Amino acid sequence: KIKNDELQSLHAEAKTIGEKLSAELKTSNDSEEKVMKVKSRSDFYKILAQEIEHAQNEVVGLSYIDAHHHLLHDALRKAGERNVHVKFSGTHHASFKEMHSQLGNHIELRDATPHMHAYVIDGKKTVLLLNDLKKERPEYHFAIFPENKEMAQTFISQFAKSWNA
């Protein structure tokens, strides 16, 4: 009972922090580059999911999707409903591979050895994780570049090499 209460308290605290981060993202100037830090992998995935929810046409990613992937499911399902095509090249948690087939045929996965976490949304916005998710850390840093087409194109080219390898 005590552990369950503690777990529920931590879950509520995480939700509150996520809502605060979301509010901050919405109130900041959406065309400015941002470097942010979060305390957990889950928080990174929540923000990535929010960015995917804004995609209009396509999301490509060089990724390592770990066990926290469930935070992306709703965003990916909604993307499919909007006919947004999603392609992730990298290492994907086994349950993510199973789940992706349930999310629709708008999601394609290719196995590759990822050397980074970079996601390009609609050919112009880049979300770049600056830490390795495979290593436990007290905090994780990432950057969002909303209008840097040159950077986006660099990652799209790297993605194409990985996708076609």
Side-chain angles (χ1 to χ4, degrees):
K1 171 82 175 138
I2 293 172
K3 289 289 184 184
N4 192 25
D5 290 345
E6 185 178 323
L7 184 60
Q8 287 179 345
S9 174
L10 288 171
H11 180 70
E13 183 180 342
K15 184 176 179 180
T16 301
I17 290 170
E19 289 170 353
K20 286 180 184 177
L21 278 172
S22 178
E24 285 181 30
L25 285 172
K26 288 179 183 175
T27 59
S28 68
N29 186 341
D30 207 30
S31 65
E32 291 182 17
E33 297 173 349
K34 303 174 195 99
V35 176
M36 300 188 293
K37 70 178 176 180
V38 291
K39 298 232 180 246
S40 72
R41 296 173 185 141
S42 296
D43 289 341
F44 169 72
Y45 279 118
K46 287 176 188 174
I47 292 170
L48 178 59
Q50 290 173 355
E51 295 298 330
I52 290 172
E53 286 179 3
H54 292 99
Q56 300 295 313
N57 300 307
E58 180 182 55
V59 178
V60 297
L62 293 158
S63 62
Y64 166 78
I65 304 293
D66 67 10
H68 294 84
H69 64 83
H70 63 278
L71 299 166
L72 294 175
H73 289 174
D74 194 44
L76 292 170
R77 182 186 51 75
K78 289 177 182 176
E81 290 170 358
R82 294 189 321 274
N83 293 317
V84 173
H85 195 231
V86 178
K87 292 180 172 182
F88 288 161
S89 177
T91 304
H92 312 292
H93 194 272
S95 60
F96 184 74
K97 287 180 179 182
E98 291 172 18
M99 180 56 75
H100 107 271
S101 63
Q102 298 173 15
L103 293 171
N105 59 3
H106 67 283
I107 299 174
E108 294 182 66
L109 302 178
R110 291 267 171 93
D111 289 327
T113 304
H115 299 288
M116 66 185 80
H117 289 272
Y119 304 86
V120 179
I121 299 167
D122 295 331
K124 61 183 178 178
K125 180 183 273 190
T126 303
V127 178
L128 178 62
L129 183 65
L130 304 174
N131 300 106
D132 185 355
L133 285 182
K134 294 178 187 175
K135 296 178 183 174
E136 191 67 36
R137 298 178 180 275
E139 56 190 34
Y140 299 87
H141 297 84
F142 64 97
I144 299 176
F145 302 92
E147 291 290 335
N148 190 328
K149 290 183 181 179
E150 291 82 11
M151 179 178 286
Q153 190 55 49
T154 298
F155 288 114
I156 289 170
S157 295
Q158 186 63 37
F159 170 82
K161 289 178 188 175
S162 175
W163 190 258
N164 295 318

